[in-house]
Amino acid sequence: MKIDRASARTYARWFQALADPTRLVICNLLADEGRPMTVGEIVEAVGIGQSTVSHHLKLLAEVGFVRVTPHGTSRLHRFNPRCLEAFPTAAELVMGRLPRTQGARCVPEGRAGQPPRPELAG
């Protein structure tokens, strides 16, 4: 077995986060824009209600695909570019195409109760 249970749980959360078309559209928008965006800007761009967009952003932030930064009374959301490095590696590792030593690993954010983030350890 090339991956341990903890890594398998983390990768499953990543895949689950991307298993929703709306979350894929939001990730694509944020990655394509290449800049932090407010919820209002995202709502306008994707044509989905604010509460739905906020829900999806929360889930994407929990697994680390989206970074959130407070900005005055609002919050800015941006795509985590480290995902572009870690996610394909995770997929290849899960499918048995890479040895375990080359797999993407998660680096915790350092706050209690926070889930691991999709980043390459190093």
Side-chain angles (χ1 to χ4, degrees):
M1 184 165 52
K2 293 182 180 182
I3 63 173
D4 56 64
R5 294 293 267 171
S7 295
R9 277 191 296 277
T10 298
Y11 299 154
R13 289 187 72 215
W14 293 359
F15 296 131
Q16 185 179 22
L18 295 179
D20 182 277
T22 300
R23 289 192 288 272
L24 285 176
V25 167
I26 291 170
C27 280
N28 179 254
L29 171 68
L30 291 172
D32 191 50
E33 285 292 320
R35 65 177 178 86
M37 297 178 74
T38 64
V39 171
E41 291 175 306
I42 297 167
V43 165
E44 186 175 322
V46 300
I48 298 170
Q50 185 271 327
S51 63
T52 301
V53 168
S54 292
H55 169 74
H56 288 300
L57 285 169
K58 179 183 179 217
L59 294 174
L60 291 167
E62 286 175 356
V63 296
F65 289 146
V66 170
R67 297 287 193 217
V68 183
T69 307
H71 183 74
T73 59
S74 64
R75 296 164 28 135
L76 296 176
H77 301 81
R78 64 182 170 87
F79 185 74
N80 178 2
R82 300 292 303 260
C83 294
L84 297 175
E85 300 167 13
F87 189 77
T89 304
E92 288 181 323
L93 179 67
V94 169
M95 298 304 161
R97 297 189 66 192
L98 290 178
R100 182 176 184 191
T101 58
Q102 293 181 2
R105 296 181 292 162
C106 291
V107 178
E109 283 291 296
R111 294 185 302 215
Q114 290 290 335
R117 301 295 187 182
E119 297 180 336
L120 295 177

